[in-house]
Amino acid sequence: MGRLDEKVALITGGAMGIGRACAEHMAKEGAHIIVTDIDDVTGQQTVSSICEQGAEAIFLPQDVTSESQWQSVLESILTQYGQLNVLVNNAGIAIRKPFLELTLDEFHRQNAVNLDGVFLGMKTCIPAMAKSGAASIINVSSVAGLKAAPTLAAYSMTKGGVRLLSKSVAKECALAGLEVRINSIHPGIIDTAIWQKMNETMPGDNRRTAEAGASGVPGNIVGKPADIANAVVFLASDESRYMNGSEVVVDFAYSA
């Protein structure tokens, strides 16, 4: 038996990186996987790879900043599966730029994806998840939501917001008697494509690779997406039934 047998799990930004690893690991534990992303091609490839391993997965295109798309995605899931047990709010972007050069449009875009997307995901899905019983929401924050991140001020702001939004809504759900646990997870320096994408906002500066970022990690150890996925599986499972409103830091003592 898998640790997530028959649970229906939605992973946003699941086409690659941490999101893909979460989808793959949860599928291996028996979950029915819904991957959403704005990248249709890579998203379909991720789902095909999961299905080739004998698991069940579907892809739905989604912009997490759109409330109507959140409603459409949820309706599709409930039509096909009749329930939603796990939500991994993983979709995110990182705009890297000195604060005084950051435009208001960039600030709003950073907030829209990383924080509005989490807000919309929880607001849309909690009623249905509460009916499914013993549901779990895992919001992907960052160590940048726990400590300062120069040239990533807006990103850090959103990730700090994810942390406290998770805690506040977790308490509200518990007080309302809703069977939905909400926890945040805080990855450290993880080897994903987000490092290369950060450089797009600072042309000519190629220092921000995962290896360079690991200079602040004891032993210069770079994490892998699987390191985060393993923790997400635990938070999604009934093994973590008494964890609610918590933050799980997976950073090899980077923020210690």
Side-chain angles (χ1 to χ4, degrees):
M1 286 184 61
R3 298 155 73 191
L4 302 176
D5 277 351
E6 300 308 313
K7 290 186 182 291
V8 178
L10 165 60
I11 303 98
T12 69
M16 61 179 66
I18 290 173
R20 175 168 180 159
C22 290
E24 292 172 339
H25 280 59
M26 295 170 81
K28 289 178 182 177
E29 293 293 340
H32 303 296
I33 302 298
I34 300 94
V35 169
T36 72
D37 208 291
I38 58 172
D39 186 340
D40 292 11
V41 174
T42 309
Q44 293 283 9
Q45 291 172 347
T46 295
V47 163
S48 295
S49 176
I50 292 172
C51 292
E52 287 170 3
Q53 301 302 314
E56 183 177 342
I58 62 172
F59 173 77
L60 297 173
Q62 182 187 22
D63 175 354
V64 296
T65 69
S66 167
E67 186 170 14
S68 63
Q69 286 192 31
W70 267 109
Q71 293 167 345
S72 177
V73 164
L74 179 61
E75 288 171 6
S76 296
I77 293 170
L78 295 179
T79 297
Q80 181 155 346
Y81 295 104
Q83 64 186 36
L84 177 62
N85 309 102
V86 180
L87 168 62
V88 182
N89 277 313
N90 168 74
I93 61 172
I95 297 176
R96 177 178 171 243
K97 183 174 284 190
F99 177 72
L100 294 180
E101 297 178 16
L102 191 69
T103 69
L104 186 59
D105 284 344
E106 290 170 331
F107 183 83
H108 285 164
R109 176 61 179 164
Q110 181 71 89
N111 193 80
V113 177
N114 290 14
L115 195 49
D116 292 359
V118 173
F119 164 80
L120 288 171
M122 291 197 292
K123 183 174 173 61
T124 304
C125 296
I126 284 175
M129 295 181 74
K131 293 178 182 178
S132 300
S136 176
I137 295 176
I138 301 106
N139 293 326
V140 180
S141 180
S142 167
V143 290
L146 302 173
K147 58 181 294 184
T151 71
L152 286 169
Y155 176 79
S156 186
M157 177 271 299
T158 62
K159 293 303 186 180
V162 167
R163 173 179 174 267
L164 285 179
L165 182 63
S166 301
K167 290 178 180 294
S168 298
V169 181
K171 277 197 171 184
E172 282 199 33
C173 286
L175 290 169
L178 301 179
E179 291 188 66
V180 182
R181 296 183 295 110
I182 304 169
N183 297 287
S184 61
I185 190 164
H186 299 256
I189 309 303
I190 309 298
D191 188 9
T192 71
I194 197 169
W195 291 92
Q196 284 67 47
K197 290 181 178 180
M198 274 193 269
N199 287 336
E200 295 173 5
T201 56
M202 290 186 70
D205 187 347
N206 297 314
R207 295 171 297 170
R208 299 306 294 180
T209 63
E211 289 75 15
S215 61
V217 181
N220 294 336
I221 305 297
V222 177
K224 300 297 182 184
D227 296 318
I228 308 305
N230 287 329
V232 167
V233 167
F234 169 69
L235 290 173
S237 76
D238 295 336
E239 296 166 11
S240 59
R241 58 170 291 277
Y242 202 60
M243 289 186 67
N244 191 24
S246 298
E247 57 196 53
V248 176
V249 183
V250 187
D251 70 349
F252 210 76
Y254 177 77
S255 61

